[in-house]
Amino acid sequence: MVFVVDRSSWWNEPNRFRHCGIGVVSHVHGDLLYGHWTEYEFHNPSSDPNYFTNCTTVWDPEGVTIIEPSGHKLFVPKNAFIGGR
């Protein structure tokens, strides 16, 4: 699972960045989420209100890639969110 948690309360209008926490979760145990969290700035050059829902995720044997509509990519390697971290 991939979670996006908004960590900012305003848009940085000149740059159109949005500060968020990204969580790649390997499993859930009760209320606990096990995985990897990182900070990330989404890019929204057109100020599209549906920007976040238009992002895609690609899972492969090496990890997960989050792809923004702008073409920006965030890669989280598998070893960061599954075992031995």
Side-chain angles (χ1 to χ4, degrees):
M1 290 182 276
V2 174
F3 291 90
V4 176
V5 178
D6 186 0
R7 297 213 187 274
S8 61
S9 59
W10 51 272
W11 279 100
N12 180 346
E13 286 297 329
N15 296 317
R16 307 274 193 251
F17 294 146
R18 187 70 159 190
H19 299 274
C20 295
I22 302 287
V24 180
V25 177
S26 57
H27 64 281
V28 179
H29 182 73
D31 290 338
L32 300 174
L33 304 175
Y34 292 93
H36 177 74
W37 288 86
T38 190
E39 294 294 316
Y40 185 70
E41 292 180 3
F42 282 91
H43 304 80
N44 187 359
S46 63
S47 296
D48 179 358
N50 297 314
Y51 191 81
F52 297 116
T53 58
N54 291 327
C55 293
T56 59
T57 55
V58 177
W59 297 82
D60 62 40
E62 288 79 37
V64 61
T65 303
I66 299 167
I67 305 168
E68 297 183 53
S70 66
H72 290 85
K73 297 178 182 179
L74 170 66
F75 176 75
V76 179
K78 183 178 179 179
N79 65 359
F81 61 89
I82 294 182
R85 44 179 197 93

